[in-house]
Each structure stands twice: as C-alpha cells, then as structure tokens.
C-alpha cells in the first residue's frame, strides 16, 4: 500500500500540475469515443496499452471480459453499456480479451472453480465459447486450446452485445462499431478480429504493412 500512497503524492506533485488544463476540462464532464470492455486482470491496463488520455476511454472490467446477454438481472454491466452508448454516445465498442486469462482457464476446467459459486455462475456466460473452440479445433490442447477459447469468447461477447437494446439501436442507426481484440501480454501486441478473414490479426503487423 505504501507505494500506492507514494504514487498518489507523486501524481499530485509532478503529473497533475503539468496537465491542469486537461483535468480542468474533465472536471466538468466526459465525452469518450470508446467503450472498452476488458478483463479485470491486474496485468491488463487499457489506458497504457492504447496510450489513451484520461477521458478517452469509458472502461468496463470484469473477470473474462464478459458481456452477458441482455437481462435486467445483470444490472451493472447493462447499465454501464446503456449509459456509454445512449448517453455518452460512444462510437466504438471494443471487447478485449488477453493471453493467459484465468477466467478462460476456469471456463475450460469448470471443476477448478467449483468451490467458487459466483465465479462458476459468471463463467457460464462463456460456456458457448468453450464449446465452439472444441468443436472447431478438436485436436487442440494446452496453450493452443486456451488461445482458441479466448478468441471464441471475444466473438461470443460481441454477439451478446448485440442483444442489448441500446447497442442494437445504435448499430441499426450506424452510430457505433464493434471490435474484438486480444492483448498478448508477453508480446505487447494486440490482435484484432478481421471479419473478412475470420482471423485475429496483429495491429502492429497491419500497421507496418500499410506504412
């Protein structure tokens, strides 16, 4: 905890004074362009990875970057998504999974989370991703299977997003776009789903090819 307190003091003394204009603007409201739905994993820092400024990302985080299908019982996720789309008017929504995801490991091995009823219930929202990965790649095991499940989970949550009325309305009106990403922690890279090829492709490689 000491290092966090020191960090706050450093922010107040060194960072804040150099960015006072930005924080003054943000103190009166927000207008983010992107809703980022990503994992609560401590290794995933959306602002750092995307090099975004405060106020640019509206971020929802939970175990497994999950978006349950629209359901009034899921008030927290539904409310955040609805607010971002209908009130803040975000134009881009990103569902971002990541490598070595503990939630996806749990989805693959339900017995490993049997003693955690809330976690086990939450991961039911990824059951179809596991089934799809095993169905498409029956011979995969270990890290390769985990990667396949992680990819399928991102695509599944994008499907779930489309069941949310606010998102469905924005999509129909052409006001929002959906994106599926996977952050490779060890490589420092993002792979984005390409609907044309059906594959997750490196943003770094795509940028280099376009240069």
């Amino acid at each position: 905890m000491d290092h966090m307190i020191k960090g706050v003091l450093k922010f107040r003394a060194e960072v804040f004074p150099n960015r006072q204009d930005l924080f003054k603007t943000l103190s009166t409201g927000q207008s983010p362009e992107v809703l980022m739905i990503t994992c609560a994993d401590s290794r995933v820092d959306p602002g750092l990875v995307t090099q975004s400024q405060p106020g640019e990302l509206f971020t929802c985080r939970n175990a497994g970057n999950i978006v349950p299908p629209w359901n009034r019982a899921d008030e927290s996720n539904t409310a955040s998504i609805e607010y971002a789309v209908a009130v803040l008017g975000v134009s881009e929504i990103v569902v971002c999974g990541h490598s070595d995801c503990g939630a996806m490991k749990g989805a693959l091995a339900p017995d490993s989370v049997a003693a955690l009823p809330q976690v086990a219930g939450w991961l039911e929202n990824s059951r179809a991703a596991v089934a799809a990965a095993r169905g498409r790649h029956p011979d995969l095991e270990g890290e390769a299977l985990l990667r396949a499940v992680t990819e399928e989970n991102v695509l599944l949550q994008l499907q779930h997003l489309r069941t949310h009325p606010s998102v469905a309305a924005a999509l129909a009106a052409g006001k929002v776009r959906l994106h599926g990403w996977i952050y490779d922690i060890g490589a420092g890279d993002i792979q984005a789903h390409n609907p044309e090829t059906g594959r997750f492709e490196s943003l770094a490689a795509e940028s280099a090819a376009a240069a």
Side-chain angles (χ1 to χ4, degrees):
M1 191 66 184
D2 287 346
H3 74 283
M4 294 182 66
I5 295 173
K6 290 178 181 177
V8 171
L9 297 177
K10 181 177 181 179
F11 167 78
R12 185 69 184 89
E14 300 178 19
V15 178
F16 182 81
N18 294 324
R19 306 177 76 179
Q20 277 187 297
D21 289 345
L22 171 62
F23 288 111
K24 183 178 180 180
T25 300
L26 293 177
S27 70
T28 60
Q30 60 173 325
S31 55
E33 176 186 0
V34 178
L35 166 59
M36 174 76 81
I37 302 170
T38 191
C39 190
D41 192 296
S42 63
R43 299 167 294 177
V44 178
D45 186 333
L48 178 64
V49 172
T50 63
Q51 289 293 283
S52 296
Q53 297 294 315
E56 292 181 343
L57 297 180
F58 189 86
T59 307
C60 295
R61 303 187 66 167
N62 61 61
N65 41 274
I66 286 171
V67 181
W70 186 74
N71 185 325
R72 293 186 186 277
D74 178 41
E75 295 178 354
S76 177
N77 280 278
T78 300
S80 295
I81 292 167
E82 182 179 70
Y83 187 78
V85 175
V87 178
L88 297 178
V90 297
S91 57
E92 314 286 345
I93 304 178
V94 178
V95 174
C96 184
H98 67 94
S99 59
D100 193 47
C101 182
M104 293 304 96
K105 291 177 181 178
L108 266 169
D111 289 347
S112 68
V113 294
L116 304 169
Q118 295 299 318
V119 173
W122 180 248
L123 293 180
E124 284 293 306
N125 292 297
S126 295
R127 179 188 289 268
V130 175
R134 291 191 185 280
R136 294 181 199 275
H137 312 285
D139 298 326
L140 290 185
E141 297 179 359
E143 291 299 319
L145 178 58
L146 177 61
R147 168 68 188 207
V149 170
T150 302
E151 291 183 356
E152 293 290 349
N153 184 62
V154 167
L155 299 179
L156 176 63
Q157 306 316 321
L158 288 172
Q159 290 182 33
H160 290 171
L161 260 177
R162 293 181 176 92
T163 70
H164 289 241
S166 58
V167 177
L171 285 169
K175 294 181 177 179
V176 72
R177 298 187 300 175
L178 305 185
H179 310 270
W181 286 7
I182 294 176
Y183 168 45
D184 187 322
I185 297 171
D189 190 24
I190 293 284
Q191 287 91 39
H193 182 254
N194 183 336
E196 295 182 2
T197 65
R199 297 192 298 268
F200 282 81
E201 301 171 356
S202 171
L203 287 179
E206 181 179 327
S207 177

